[in-house]
Amino acid sequence: MKIQKANAGPLTNFEVLYLLRSRGASRDPTRAMSLITPSEFKVYDYLVESAACNQTRERVKNFLEKSKEYQLAKAEVINIINIRPTSAVELVPIIEELDERKLEEDLDKMVDIVVQVFPPHPNEQNVDEEAPEGGSPEMPVDANAKEQKAG
């Protein structure tokens, strides 16, 4: 691998994950035969469980186009892509000088763009799929408790 531009700037988690995959990182149990270092595998394992695992270049480009009107700093854009906030509360700490830039009224629009462009976080998908009928994901329905009440 030839370095074309040293320190080209910060990368998104998606770009780091893509780089690690291109170098051979995977969930394969025969990791010992790989060219990836143990610390890189730890980073890979983390990123596979993050929002970056199901992002694509097209989605990132789409987000960049749609977010241009808000004149966000590069670091803010990278943090939004990496964190994938799903509410205004999660977005507020990412954007600096929110009041001075008069972006408070645009928070919901920005969150809508993030939710539309990027797929749900893998943990959110699992919670929705595993949620029992009639119960919330945080508080699963206990079958034994139902039987005790009925009996």
Side-chain angles (χ1 to χ4, degrees), residues 17 38 42 46 48 50 62 75 85 91 106 113 127:
L17 182 61
K42 287 182 180 186
Y46 169 77
V48 166
S50 74
N62 189 6
L91 192 56
D106 295 328
I113 291 171
V127 167

Side-chain angles (χ1 to χ4, degrees), residues 13-133:
N13 289 348
F14 163 74
E15 293 168 317
V16 174
L17 182 61
Y18 180 82
L19 173 71
L20 291 174
R21 283 180 176 155
S22 71
R23 293 189 56 210
S26 69
R27 294 259 181 186
D28 185 16
T30 60
R31 289 180 169 180
M33 309 218 35
S34 177
L35 300 174
I36 305 295
T37 65
S39 62
E40 290 173 321
F41 271 119
K42 287 182 180 186
V43 171
Y44 175 81
D45 289 340
Y46 169 77
L47 292 176
V48 166
E49 299 296 325
S50 74
C53 74
N54 50 13
Q55 291 177 349
T56 63
R57 285 196 190 280
E58 293 78 28
R59 290 178 187 252
V60 171
K61 285 180 184 177
N62 189 6
F63 174 75
L64 292 174
E65 290 172 18
K66 289 184 177 187
S67 65
K68 279 184 183 179
E69 68 180 272
Y70 303 111
Q71 299 177 346
L72 299 171
K74 188 173 185 176
E76 294 168 338
V77 171
I78 289 173
N79 281 326
I80 292 171
I81 293 170
N82 288 346
I83 297 169
R84 194 196 174 275
T86 57
S87 69
V89 173
E90 292 175 294
L91 192 56
V92 169
I94 296 172
I95 301 174
E96 293 184 19
E97 302 172 352
L98 188 66
D99 297 337
E100 296 169 15
R101 293 164 63 187
K102 297 185 169 101
L103 290 173
E104 306 92 11
E105 58 271 358
D106 295 328
L107 286 175
D108 289 330
K109 292 177 192 173
M110 284 190 262
V111 169
D112 288 341
I113 291 171
V114 171
V115 170
Q116 289 172 1
V117 172
F118 295 118
H121 190 283
N123 294 339
E124 291 173 13
Q125 288 176 338
N126 293 341
V127 167
D128 291 341
E129 292 169 3
E130 295 173 4
E133 193 174 311

Side-chain angles (χ1 to χ4, degrees), residues 140-151:
V141 176
D142 186 7
N144 293 334
K146 281 186 176 180
E147 289 176 10
Q148 290 174 354
K149 285 182 182 179

